[in-house]
Amino acid sequence: MTGENLVSAYVSDAERDAEASVRPKRLSEFIAQDRVRDQLDLLLQGAMRRGSPPDHILLSGPPGLGKTSLANIVAAELGSGIRVTSGPAIERSGDLAAILTGLAEGDVLFIDEIHRIAKPAEELLYSAMEDFRVDVVVGKGPGATAIPLDVEPFTLVGATTRSGLLTGPMRDRFGFVAHLDFYSPADLETLLHRSARILGVPITADGAAEIAGRSRGTPRIANRLLRRVRDFAEVRAEGVVNLETARAALTVYDVDALGLDRLDRAVLTALVDSFRGGPVGLSTLAVAVGEQPDTVEEVCEPFLVRAGLLARTPRGRVATPAAWHHLGRTPPNGTFGMDAPPAPDLFSAQTDQP
């Protein structure tokens, strides 16, 4: 995990095992998200008392907030097995039919990024969710025959980072829909102390607070930063994660006090220094920092906008007053870039995005 994607909320294949070791195993161990946790507890307790699988569950929210953890917790609380797959992996309806017919009664099927499931597979999923039945088509043309197959009663847990991309029929078939919010610094501190105990890392209160403040409200990032600070503490300090060690380690990894990494600061610096605070088009901004437009839009902008450092306007991206102050700059003529004339664009209107 390089410094540039150290604060990415997406999990890499290399860190899946490390992430799994600190995941909560029961609902009582899950930190924060109190409203979702209480609602989910009622749903599961009611289902277990009735002796039937609970309603299908849809979990939405930004990456790294615990959707996969909650899916595993649902299976653990029900005492059932779990089958894990993802929307992009299900390319054909036959792939999904094979998974569904292999489920045992009461099993949990977890589909990550469910909004990316192929349309034929999604339509097959409708009947499985409602009637616990799938129709498999055998043959082609006029001789094709639909063979109905029964599916054992199961619970589908779907996770999505883009709930707006879900179709209406799919969303309506979930009996319980929950949205996960970003964590507060206090909740992240609690989470870091728990993770430190599991990893065997001595950590002080101020050390946890320093890491929490740079974690973008995301548990996955907090745990990742904890592991990197642990490495620094073991190699260059006395093995204890305290305030001084945390600050020194995160400086080495180029994560500043707000949780911005090199690319985040490059975007803000380009906006402020090269384009007088904007507005400037996405493609032009991406060229200025040497990245692809989708990288800037999907990796950098969500946090910069949420932190109040960048604004997306119909005319383009604009640096806010907080961005100028964070970079230690004084905005020209007190405009903070909001009223400045548009910067010259390197692309035509057909190739640029606002």
Side-chain angles (χ1 to χ4, degrees):
M1 180 66 63
T2 64
E4 290 194 6
N5 52 15
L6 194 63
V7 291
S8 169
Y10 293 94
V11 63
S12 65
D13 294 336
E15 67 171 340
R16 289 189 185 278
D17 291 341
E19 187 180 61
S21 66
V22 295
R23 278 182 176 166
K25 303 300 187 293
R26 291 287 178 174
L27 208 54
S28 59
E29 301 174 4
F30 197 84
I31 296 171
Q33 311 292 349
D34 296 337
R35 177 178 52 83
V36 172
R37 191 176 66 237
D38 291 344
Q39 293 173 351
L40 197 54
D41 183 58
L42 288 173
L43 176 73
L44 298 179
Q45 292 291 339
M48 287 188 288
R49 292 189 180 189
R50 292 189 300 271
S52 61
D55 288 341
H56 302 298
I57 299 167
L58 176 64
L59 303 172
S60 67
L65 298 186
K67 296 184 291 296
T68 301
S69 295
L70 280 176
N72 285 280
I73 286 173
V74 168
E77 295 286 349
L78 294 174
S80 59
I82 182 171
R83 181 72 181 270
V84 179
T85 186
S86 65
I90 304 176
E91 298 179 350
R92 297 180 298 273
S93 58
D95 300 333
L96 181 60
I99 294 174
L100 291 170
T101 54
L103 295 175
E105 183 177 357
D107 275 359
V108 172
L109 172 61
F110 175 55
I111 303 180
D112 197 11
E113 297 298 322
I114 194 172
H115 63 274
R116 296 177 61 187
I117 191 172
K119 189 64 176 178
E122 178 180 327
E123 294 175 349
L124 181 74
L125 194 56
Y126 294 162
S127 59
M129 294 173 69
E130 287 190 327
D131 306 322
F132 300 113
R133 179 181 59 85
V134 294
D135 295 322
V136 179
V137 178
V138 178
K140 297 182 179 179
T145 303
I147 301 177
L149 298 176
D150 290 331
V151 176
E152 295 289 349
F154 71 99
T155 297
L156 172 64
V157 179
T160 177
T161 56
R162 307 282 294 276
S163 58
L165 297 182
L166 282 175
T167 62
M170 171 63 78
R171 190 183 298 106
D172 292 342
R173 283 171 169 78
F174 286 97
F176 176 77
V177 179
H179 180 80
L180 303 186
D181 298 316
F182 287 102
Y183 284 50
S184 69
D187 289 332
L188 286 178
E189 289 178 40
T190 303
L191 181 143
L192 284 166
H193 282 291
R194 175 184 178 275
S195 298
R197 288 195 300 271
I198 295 173
L199 297 174
V201 180
I203 187 170
T204 64
D206 54 3
E210 185 68 18
I211 297 174
R214 306 191 189 203
S215 299
R216 301 180 180 231
T218 305
R220 176 174 293 151
I221 297 175
N223 284 325
R224 186 183 298 149
L225 293 181
L226 174 63
R227 294 196 298 272
R228 300 291 73 78
V229 174
R230 173 195 60 183
D231 295 340
F232 182 93
E234 292 176 350
V235 175
R236 299 188 181 179
E238 298 179 354
V240 178
V241 176
N242 53 31
L243 177 61
E244 294 75 16
T245 302
R247 285 180 176 173
L250 295 175
T251 299
V252 169
Y253 287 108
D254 213 15
V255 178
D256 70 14
L258 291 184
L260 306 187
D261 64 3
R262 183 207 63 83
L263 184 56
D264 297 321
R265 290 192 299 276
V267 169
L268 294 182
T269 301
L271 263 176
V272 169
D273 292 346
S274 302
F275 302 107
R276 304 186 303 278
V280 60
L282 173 62
S283 296
T284 303
L285 185 59
V287 169
V289 297
E291 291 287 349
Q292 295 296 318
D294 56 352
T295 300
V296 175
E297 185 175 29
E298 297 176 11
V299 176
C300 299
E301 285 190 351
F303 179 71
L304 294 178
V305 171
R306 184 166 60 88
L309 300 172
L310 181 144
R312 299 174 63 173
T313 72
R315 300 174 65 196
R317 274 59 175 175
V318 174
T320 67
W324 287 83
H325 292 309
H326 183 66
L327 295 176
R329 310 288 200 276
T330 300
N333 301 323
T335 62
F336 295 100
M338 302 296 285
D339 301 319
D345 208 334
L346 305 180
F347 286 76
S348 68
Q350 293 180 338
T351 60
D352 206 357
Q353 301 180 45

